[in-house]
Amino acid sequence: MDIAGRPSQEIYDVVGIGFGPSNMSLAIALEEHEASSPQQPIRCHFFERQPTFGWHRNMLLPSTTMQISFLKDLATFRNPMSRFSFISYLHASDRLVQFVNNQDFFPTRQEFHQYLEWAAADLSDRVTYGAEVTSIRPRTAAGPRTPDLLEIAVRRGDGTTSVVTARNVAISTGLVPRLPEGVTSDERVWHSSQFLSRFHAQDPAGLKNVLVVGAGQSAAEITRFLYDSLPHAQVTAVIPSYGYSVADDTPFANQVFDPSAVDEYYFGTERARDSFWRYHRNTNYSVVDADVIRALYQRSYDEQVRGTSRLHFRNLTRVAEVDQGGAATRVVLHSLLDDRTEEVSVDALVFATGYDGLDPARLLGDFDRYFLRDEAGRHRVTRDYRLVTASDLTCGIYLQGGTEHTHGLTSSLLSNIAIRSGEIADSIVLRRTERELGSSCPVQAASTAA
């Protein structure tokens, strides 16, 4: 069946699952390959479950900025001449001169989202929105399992389903919001990924006591936003550490996000990999930009000067229990400072507690048994981001995310998105060429991570 549910014999070179920045970047890399080799077109299509393009819409808070340079866009590091670069977007928007005059490497999150929307609009012919991929399986319709073909089941918003066939799949379904065990989101309990839509659905006058849980960038930004937006409210930041820790964005530390660092991590020893995480987690995980930390501290200090108190920081504190029944949400806080607990009633409880990584097993189902895992039970992945097979399968399952254990810190980040997507595109093209020439593909055997 084709993407509209009609009978079809078309076989795609690659089907992309999800159409966020990572698979957008892959679509661009494939298009630019086709432009350079028009005699070898790449047949590709992408499926996105959202009805339209959107990227972290609920965290597009006023004045928040990107934490990476504008040059780490969808294409520039791979192809500085790409028409999909952030600079091309500025030129098309007639804002290039003004952006340069602003003298800032870090655009606002709102502007970067507009850039992504601009790029997505130019790629609309190869993506189907409102379509969720529910499973991936080896093709068996013609009899025995076909080792180089995959069947991808797609469900649309109207409930209809269809199956498309491809030689490769690129999974980029994003991260899964993480809430404490036993806690579910509702009208008063939110994850940061829901923040703006949930906030705007409330009567601000009814938000008199709000708690924000977390120690990272999102937690600090939400705390600042709530304090500024609700001048009548008590705003409490529940921080598991003793205050916010600053993100290390100094030049030498930032080298862990360089494309070359992926090779050093992938081919490094276990001791080297451990050192990457031990010494450089503070470049991205549970840390906050210095300007946001200073802004919150300034607000707290101004309150001391004025003799007021509605911004509170509960350091070294955990949420021990959440009671979501009744007319109010009750939260039990446990302080590690004095080992005491305290119960408070809140009008909104925001968990900025991060995300769980991509797990391809959810889509693979029983098919997952054909792919190798390491001693820790994690998928083995080739250097070109492809799952290692345990059989004669030659079809490719590529991961855009979920490879931190093999490829390091940038596996799901924007920092290396252009190079990562380019390497996946190159791998797809190389393996197709080898198949057409009748040769075997040496890439997987040559570089696999345990």
Side-chain angles (χ1 to χ4, degrees), residues 232-277:
H232 59 282
Q234 298 291 314
V235 179
T236 301
V238 179
I239 307 173
S241 54
Y242 196 76
Y244 300 110
S245 297
V246 67
D248 187 352
D249 61 353
T250 53
F252 286 112
N254 256 348
Q255 290 180 135
V256 299
F257 301 120
D258 289 355
S260 60
V262 176
D263 277 339
E264 293 174 327
Y265 188 94
Y266 187 93
F267 296 109
T269 63
E270 284 301 317
R271 185 174 180 181
R273 294 184 184 189
D274 179 68
S275 294
F276 266 91
W277 289 101

Side-chain angles (χ1 to χ4, degrees), residues 18 40 63 91 94 109 185 200 282 325 349 368 400 407:
Q40 296 179 311
S63 300
H91 186 269
D94 198 26
R109 205 170 293 161
S185 63
H200 289 310
N282 65 342
L349 172 61
D368 186 53
Q400 293 256 44
H407 290 70

Side-chain angles (χ1 to χ4, degrees), residues 108-168:
T108 65
R109 205 170 293 161
Q110 181 66 53
E111 183 175 29
F112 201 81
H113 191 275
Q114 290 175 2
Y115 156 64
L116 295 175
E117 288 181 310
W118 169 83
D122 211 355
L123 298 166
S124 60
D125 62 327
R126 67 212 68 186
V127 57
T128 299
Y129 291 99
E132 181 178 8
V133 170
T134 57
S135 68
I136 306 168
R137 58 181 181 265
R139 186 175 185 180
T140 57
R145 189 192 69 204
T146 308
D148 64 340
L149 293 178
L150 297 165
E151 293 181 336
I152 300 97
V154 183
R155 181 175 59 219
R156 288 160 182 76
D158 60 4
T160 61
T161 60
S162 60
V163 175
V164 296
T165 303
R167 299 193 185 279
N168 302 282

Side-chain angles (χ1 to χ4, degrees), residues 10-246:
E10 180 169 17
I11 297 175
Y12 292 102
D13 290 300
V14 58
V15 161
I17 304 175
F19 202 62
S22 291
N23 267 354
M24 285 175 60
S25 182
L26 175 60
I28 293 167
L30 291 170
E31 177 183 286
E32 293 179 351
H33 167 81
E34 186 172 330
S36 64
S37 303
Q39 71 280 8
Q40 296 179 311
I42 301 295
R43 299 176 299 276
C44 66
H45 199 81
F46 297 81
F47 296 95
E48 168 57 52
R49 62 185 174 185
Q50 294 187 101
T52 60
F53 176 80
W55 178 70
H56 296 306
R57 286 187 180 277
N58 283 309
M59 283 302 295
L60 298 180
L61 304 177
S63 300
T64 52
T65 60
M66 297 295 294
Q67 294 174 277
I68 59 170
S69 164
F70 68 92
L71 293 172
K72 292 185 175 182
D73 57 25
L74 299 171
T76 295
F77 273 30
R78 176 185 54 81
N79 176 17
M81 302 298 291
S82 174
R83 68 185 183 91
F84 288 96
S85 70
F86 185 78
I87 290 178
S88 294
Y89 155 73
L90 290 173
H91 186 269
S93 303
D94 198 26
R95 284 205 310 274
L96 179 56
V97 172
Q98 291 85 348
F99 183 86
V100 172
N101 288 342
N102 199 38
Q103 300 183 30
D104 196 336
F105 260 66
F106 307 99
T108 65
R109 205 170 293 161
Q110 181 66 53
E111 183 175 29
F112 201 81
H113 191 275
Q114 290 175 2
Y115 156 64
L116 295 175
E117 288 181 310
W118 169 83
D122 211 355
L123 298 166
S124 60
D125 62 327
R126 67 212 68 186
V127 57
T128 299
Y129 291 99
E132 181 178 8
V133 170
T134 57
S135 68
I136 306 168
R137 58 181 181 265
R139 186 175 185 180
T140 57
R145 189 192 69 204
T146 308
D148 64 340
L149 293 178
L150 297 165
E151 293 181 336
I152 300 97
V154 183
R155 181 175 59 219
R156 288 160 182 76
D158 60 4
T160 61
T161 60
S162 60
V163 175
V164 296
T165 303
R167 299 193 185 279
N168 302 282
V169 166
I171 303 176
S172 180
T173 51
L175 303 173
V176 180
R178 183 193 307 129
L179 288 170
E181 185 177 356
V183 176
T184 57
S185 63
D186 60 25
E187 62 179 6
R188 290 191 296 267
V189 178
W190 317 331
H191 187 268
S192 58
S193 62
Q194 306 167 307
F195 178 69
L196 279 180
S197 59
R198 291 295 178 90
F199 176 80
H200 289 310
Q202 306 295 315
D203 177 3
L207 298 175
K208 299 176 181 178
N209 191 9
V210 296
L211 258 67
V212 182
V213 181
Q217 183 78 10
S218 294
E221 289 177 348
I222 289 172
T223 299
R224 180 178 63 177
F225 174 85
L226 289 170
Y227 181 82
D228 293 347
S229 301
L230 303 172
H232 59 282
Q234 298 291 314
V235 179
T236 301
V238 179
I239 307 173
S241 54
Y242 196 76
Y244 300 110
S245 297
V246 67

Side-chain angles (χ1 to χ4, degrees), residues 177-401:
R178 183 193 307 129
L179 288 170
E181 185 177 356
V183 176
T184 57
S185 63
D186 60 25
E187 62 179 6
R188 290 191 296 267
V189 178
W190 317 331
H191 187 268
S192 58
S193 62
Q194 306 167 307
F195 178 69
L196 279 180
S197 59
R198 291 295 178 90
F199 176 80
H200 289 310
Q202 306 295 315
D203 177 3
L207 298 175
K208 299 176 181 178
N209 191 9
V210 296
L211 258 67
V212 182
V213 181
Q217 183 78 10
S218 294
E221 289 177 348
I222 289 172
T223 299
R224 180 178 63 177
F225 174 85
L226 289 170
Y227 181 82
D228 293 347
S229 301
L230 303 172
H232 59 282
Q234 298 291 314
V235 179
T236 301
V238 179
I239 307 173
S241 54
Y242 196 76
Y244 300 110
S245 297
V246 67
D248 187 352
D249 61 353
T250 53
F252 286 112
N254 256 348
Q255 290 180 135
V256 299
F257 301 120
D258 289 355
S260 60
V262 176
D263 277 339
E264 293 174 327
Y265 188 94
Y266 187 93
F267 296 109
T269 63
E270 284 301 317
R271 185 174 180 181
R273 294 184 184 189
D274 179 68
S275 294
F276 266 91
W277 289 101
R278 185 153 34 93
Y279 290 114
H280 299 295
R281 286 187 63 88
N282 65 342
T283 56
N284 185 67
Y285 297 91
S286 297
V287 289
V288 183
D289 286 347
D291 62 328
V292 178
I293 294 175
R294 284 192 291 269
L296 280 171
Y297 192 88
Q298 183 65 54
R299 286 161 173 74
S300 178
Y301 182 76
D302 288 346
E303 284 196 340
Q304 295 181 43
V305 173
R306 295 193 303 267
T308 60
S309 179
R310 64 180 191 87
L311 178 59
H312 313 280
F313 298 96
R314 299 293 301 269
N315 299 335
L316 286 176
T317 300
R318 306 286 195 275
V319 172
E321 185 180 339
V322 179
D323 182 358
Q324 298 179 245
T329 296
R330 293 187 296 276
V331 184
V332 176
L333 300 177
H334 175 221
S335 171
L336 301 182
L337 290 170
D338 54 18
D339 203 31
R340 294 183 180 180
T341 60
E342 176 188 358
E343 183 177 300
V344 296
S345 294
V346 298
D347 302 303
L349 172 61
V350 185
F351 284 100
T353 43
Y355 298 82
D356 292 321
L358 180 156
D359 182 6
R362 182 184 65 82
L363 288 171
L364 296 173
D366 184 61
F367 185 33
D368 186 53
R369 62 191 174 93
Y370 291 102
F371 300 95
L372 295 177
R373 293 177 179 261
D374 63 16
E375 294 80 0
R378 302 167 301 190
H379 282 102
R380 295 182 63 191
V381 187
T382 62
R383 176 59 184 83
D384 56 358
Y385 300 94
R386 187 163 38 91
L387 292 183
V388 179
T389 63
S391 67
D392 61 344
L393 290 172
T394 57
C395 49
I397 305 289
Y398 292 87
L399 302 184
Q400 293 256 44

